[in-house]
Amino acid sequence: MSVLEIKDLHVSVETDQGTKQILRGVNLTINEGEIHAIMGPNGSGKSTLAYTIAGHPKYHVESGSILLDGAEVLTMTVDARARAGLFLAMQYPVEIPGVTVTNFLRTAKTAIEGEAPPIRTWIKDVRQAMTNLRMDKTFAERNVNEGFSGGEKKRNEILQLELLKPKFAVLDETDSGLDVDALKIVSEGVNRAKANTGLGLLLITHYTRILRYIHPDFVHVFVNGKIAEQGGPELADRLEDEGYDRFLVPSNVG
Amino acid sequence: MSAASALSKSASKTVPESTTPTADSSTLPVGQHGIKEHSDGRFGYVPVQTRSARFKSVNVADFEAVTGREAVWKHSPVAKFTDLTAGALDGSRYTVESTPSADVSVEWVPRTDARIGTAGLPEERAAANAWSAFDEALAVTVSGEEAKEITVTRSGLGTIARGAHTIIEAKPFSQATVILHNTGDARLSENVEIILGESANLTVVSLQEWDDSAVHLANHFASVGRDARLKHVVVSLGGSIVRVNPSVRLAGPGSDTLLLGLYFADAGQHLEQQVYVFHDAPRSRSRVNYKGALQGQDARTVWIGDVLIGNKAAGTDSYEQNRNLVLSEGTRADSIPNLEIETGDIVGAGHASATGRFDDEQLFYLQSRGITEEEARRLVVRGFLTEVVQQIGSPELEARLQLAIEAELIGTDDK
């Protein structure tokens, strides 16, 4: 059974005002098949955690460790992390000019598997996954994210999640900017991926809305760069009622 | 830069002032608010706005010495090829290899050949210098209605400064693809005349795979007859300075042209193309699509696209676009579309230009899906340029170009 462990992670970022500390000792263990929701107010460091796991060069790890089945992730290149089984569904996926969705998916799948997928089954898989996400066939020939609406970009992220079959996926604010219909479609995709591969999920969100469709096993409240409180799904309900105020009063003064 | 401002700027420099229709400021109504001489002293000066009115001559002495400030030269490193603009050029025969093809003849013809000068005339000094210098012209004459492909290769031009002239004629109703393949070293200024008879269907590919030190200045002049179709492709990959300027006159009603360009500039390379389409007949159609990639310190590209829709050209349809993909720091891409319309009765006329960069966020996105950095670059560049490659219509050449683009990417990775 796979396990992703984050141990005492401290991360900073360079800004115009100098080095800014963002993560201040994050500890989190996710087992295969578990869904963890990380909830927190804006600026609490949720996205930094997501991008640090994926290896974005902007974030500087000062100390701590991220282990995937015991192997240190922090020393791996970005692409090596993906090949090891990590996936990040981004909040703002970028446009890739000149690269069609079809070409991109095949290249990514080939990179991750180490060999090209058998053509016949692959085309069938892609078509099926697109149909499931209510994506029009013409998507396949469009350039990645170019001219996509917000909802289309998010669906394209989940399409990749379903096809690349990672061991662990981080979903960074996947619910933001989605109307209720798109939110349902995207959530179905995530649930389908979990049912098919049993992956572990780290669901990063500001709102509890997506948790109506993707049911977390654990909820962590993220405040000021670390986990302030954790519990089961009931914690999300409490946040829905009370908001983040009770966490913010003591810790957000400076 | 807006089309209008670009055009007036460039046109004003190329035409002698004496021929410009000048409004005399002394005849202006007095007393009207705001009417007064501008402080720049140019009030009343109306530059000739028409691209077709540029000064033309086959005689090099009719052109002033090149300073680099002229509209046609201002983007080019003129100091690096004074031998071609100011020196004596060797206009003798050179070695040409061509693949044999029925209904296509390749031969040397004298300067007195009736076709010379029928497709266009030089508008700048290097072209006139070549025109003055050539002893004989290389003539590629296509007949026969069956489709065929011929490759004309020049590989041994050497480092001597040369002037050359080529004629490519497609007889009425003929059909062919002519590939001009340039390799080896060269210091060459040349004119290529392309003449399409009625209903001819001709593809001309000028493929520059020169050695790193080569300098190549070319002007292509095409005249497209009634219902004829010209596909013109400029592929510039190798060479130090490569400047290929295609100029197409849609001379017959219903004539049609597709002008494609593909270029990949790496460190220190200057690749330039000044494209000009003149709609001079009704119901003519043009499409221009040039795409380039830049990678490495001082990689430099220039694209100027002029489209002139003349007053005889009712019912025309035109569109031009240029796209550049910047792959690294230290590069520069100029992209200047100009559109000039003398008749309101047109189907369509448009232009587009965009220069974008392959940046760290795109790289991160692709890498986060398991794709290595090298593969990510290849994916983006290949995807970007493939649109043009696929329109060439010669499967063998298309396959070769895909490999050549890969080689460019790998070659520049080392630098």
Side-chain angles (χ1 to χ4, degrees):
Chain A
M1 188 166 98
S2 283
V3 57
L4 181 67
E5 298 166 273
I6 299 167
K7 294 181 173 174
D8 196 27
L9 190 65
H10 289 75
V11 173
S12 65
V13 65
E14 291 302 321
T15 70
D16 294 341
Q17 288 81 41
T19 305
K20 191 179 171 204
Q21 193 71 33
I22 300 184
L23 299 188
R24 305 162 191 266
V26 178
N27 288 290
L28 185 62
T29 299
I30 307 170
N31 291 305
E32 199 180 312
E34 290 176 356
I35 299 179
H36 293 245
I38 291 203
M39 304 189 63
N42 292 328
S44 59
K46 306 186 299 287
S47 284
T48 298
L49 178 63
Y51 279 87
T52 303
I53 294 170
H56 194 289
K58 183 177 151 191
Y59 300 98
H60 177 64
V61 177
E62 308 213 308
S63 63
S65 164
I66 301 176
L67 301 174
L68 175 59
D69 296 333
E72 181 56 74
V73 168
L74 291 173
T75 55
M76 296 180 193
T77 59
V78 175
D79 46 307
R81 294 180 196 206
R83 291 194 296 273
L86 297 178
F87 181 89
L88 169 62
M90 298 189 197
Q91 185 178 6
Y92 303 111
V94 296
E95 299 181 358
I96 312 286
V99 181
T100 62
V101 170
T102 300
N103 192 2
F104 168 62
L105 290 173
R106 193 178 50 236
T107 306
K109 186 67 177 174
T110 303
I112 281 174
E113 298 291 325
E115 58 179 1
I119 287 180
R120 221 161 35 136
T121 52
W122 173 246
I123 290 173
K124 218 179 79 194
D125 290 349
V126 173
R127 282 211 187 117
Q128 186 58 51
M130 287 179 66
T131 306
N132 289 341
L133 288 164
R134 322 277 201 286
M135 294 170 81
D136 190 85
K137 263 186 286 186
T138 56
F139 260 96
E141 294 315 314
R142 288 168 68 184
N143 290 334
V144 176
N145 294 321
E146 213 173 70
F148 285 23
S149 70
E152 287 169 342
K153 284 183 182 171
K154 296 295 171 68
R155 278 187 239 190
N156 190 38
E157 294 294 287
I158 302 308
L159 176 68
Q160 295 165 50
L161 171 69
E162 289 202 64
L163 290 168
L164 300 180
K165 303 188 186 337
K167 290 179 189 164
F168 291 95
V170 180
L171 308 185
D172 185 19
E173 309 247 0
T174 295
D175 51 338
S176 70
L178 292 183
D179 63 34
V180 66
D181 293 327
L183 181 61
K184 279 182 191 166
I185 291 166
V186 161
S187 300
E188 280 169 23
V190 174
N191 290 329
R192 203 163 41 235
K194 180 167 176 283
N196 287 338
T197 66
L199 82 166
L201 281 168
L202 188 59
L203 197 62
I204 290 174
T205 180
H206 184 89
Y207 306 102
T208 53
R209 198 162 78 110
I210 194 171
L211 304 182
R212 292 204 288 269
Y213 307 102
I214 304 173
H215 303 294
D217 303 301
F218 304 93
V219 174
H220 312 268
V221 182
F222 215 69
V223 179
N224 206 15
K226 58 184 175 191
I227 292 169
E229 188 172 335
Q230 43 196 345
E234 72 287 346
L235 183 54
D237 297 335
R238 197 173 157 198
L239 287 170
E240 170 92 46
D241 297 337
E242 298 174 7
Y244 295 109
D245 281 357
R246 71 187 165 98
F247 298 104
L248 293 180
V249 174
S251 58
N252 207 27
V253 175
Chain B
M1 181 184 287
S2 79
S5 68
L7 193 63
S8 59
K9 246 189 228 167
S10 57
S12 65
K13 285 187 181 165
T14 50
V15 179
E17 228 170 281
S18 60
T19 67
T20 59
T22 309
D24 185 355
S25 57
S26 66
T27 64
L28 287 166
V30 286
Q32 186 182 330
H33 177 73
I35 292 276
K36 59 175 185 179
E37 190 124 349
H38 282 208
S39 57
D40 67 359
R42 302 283 281 173
F43 186 68
Y45 170 74
V46 180
V48 167
Q49 302 255 321
T50 302
R51 175 64 170 83
S52 60
R54 275 193 193 171
F55 179 74
K56 297 180 179 67
S57 173
V58 298
N59 184 1
V60 64
D62 290 345
F63 292 89
E64 304 263 340
V66 172
T67 63
R69 292 189 296 273
E70 302 85 350
V72 289
W73 292 115
K74 68 180 178 185
H75 300 283
S76 310
V78 294
K80 291 183 179 165
F81 48 79
T82 52
D83 54 340
L84 298 178
T85 55
L89 301 178
D90 179 347
S92 63
R93 281 190 192 189
Y94 49 86
T95 307
V96 175
E97 287 166 47
S98 59
T99 53
S101 174
D103 296 330
V104 182
S105 71
V106 179
E107 60 192 333
W108 292 95
V109 298
R111 290 181 65 97
T112 52
D113 190 287
R115 293 171 292 186
I116 289 174
T118 58
L121 297 170
E123 294 177 356
E124 39 85 346
R125 202 167 203 275
N129 203 17
W131 201 296
S132 301
F134 76 95
D135 296 340
E136 293 167 292
L138 181 71
V140 179
T141 309
V142 173
S143 57
E145 296 191 19
E146 300 303 314
K148 52 209 160 281
E149 184 174 309
I150 177 177
T151 301
V152 178
T153 304
R154 299 184 289 190
S155 55
L157 296 182
T159 53
I160 186 167
R162 284 180 184 274
H165 199 99
T166 304
I167 301 165
I168 302 171
E169 186 194 11
K171 298 280 191 190
F173 301 99
S174 66
Q175 194 181 162
T177 296
V178 177
I179 300 167
L180 304 174
H181 189 197
N182 297 309
T183 64
D185 206 347
R187 294 193 73 84
L188 173 67
S189 176
E190 66 167 345
N191 296 291
V192 177
E193 293 192 71
I194 302 165
I195 304 153
L196 276 77
E198 200 170 308
S199 293
N201 185 351
L202 179 69
T203 298
V204 174
V205 181
S206 185
L207 172 56
Q208 283 66 246
E209 291 189 295
W210 298 110
D211 287 353
D212 288 345
S213 53
V215 176
H216 180 205
L217 310 178
N219 283 276
H220 288 207
F221 303 101
S223 170
V224 186
R226 174 186 284 267
D227 295 329
R229 182 167 200 274
L230 170 67
K231 189 191 289 184
H232 185 276
V233 189
V234 177
V235 181
S236 293
L237 301 174
S240 166
I241 300 165
V242 178
R243 204 178 111 117
V244 179
N245 297 348
S247 165
V248 177
R249 179 168 160 254
L250 294 168
S255 52
D256 185 336
T257 191
L258 172 62
L259 297 168
L260 299 171
L262 189 164
Y263 46 94
F264 194 124
D266 47 36
Q269 244 184 337
H270 178 101
L271 304 178
E272 177 167 354
Q273 30 268 310
Q274 299 186 11
V275 185
Y276 168 39
V277 179
F278 179 17
H279 285 263
D280 199 20
R283 297 179 305 284
S284 49
R285 181 180 189 274
S286 70
R287 289 288 182 273
V288 178
N289 189 10
Y290 271 65
K291 289 185 120 175
L294 300 89
Q295 177 166 287
Q297 189 60 39
D298 295 326
R300 176 90 159 86
T301 66
V302 179
W303 178 85
I304 300 175
D306 295 339
V307 174
L308 167 59
I309 299 169
N311 54 20
K312 284 189 282 181
T316 58
D317 183 12
S318 70
Y319 195 85
E320 59 166 349
Q321 76 161 352
N322 175 226
R323 297 261 184 271
N324 294 299
L325 179 64
V326 175
L327 295 165
S328 72
E329 300 287 324
T331 65
R332 174 171 169 171
D334 284 85
S335 181
I336 307 166
N338 300 311
L339 179 56
E340 191 181 352
I341 306 175
E342 294 180 335
T343 174
D345 179 15
I346 56 168
V347 174
H351 61 204
S353 162
T355 298
R357 57 187 296 249
F358 179 59
D359 65 20
D360 294 344
E361 291 303 319
Q362 291 165 337
L363 183 62
F364 173 72
Y365 188 76
L366 292 167
Q367 282 189 287
S368 78
R369 301 309 185 238
I371 300 166
T372 62
E373 176 171 357
E374 192 188 332
E375 177 72 14
R377 273 178 195 281
R378 194 179 301 151
L379 188 68
V380 167
V381 175
R382 196 166 43 192
F384 178 74
L385 296 178
T386 289
E387 182 200 344
V388 171
V389 175
Q390 283 173 344
Q391 290 183 73
I392 293 174
S394 165
E396 203 180 318
L397 180 60
E398 288 172 17
R400 268 190 33 150
L401 286 178
Q402 294 287 14
L403 291 176
I405 291 166
E406 306 265 315
E408 284 286 327
L409 274 165
I410 294 162
T412 45
D413 280 347
D414 298 335
K415 283 172 188 165

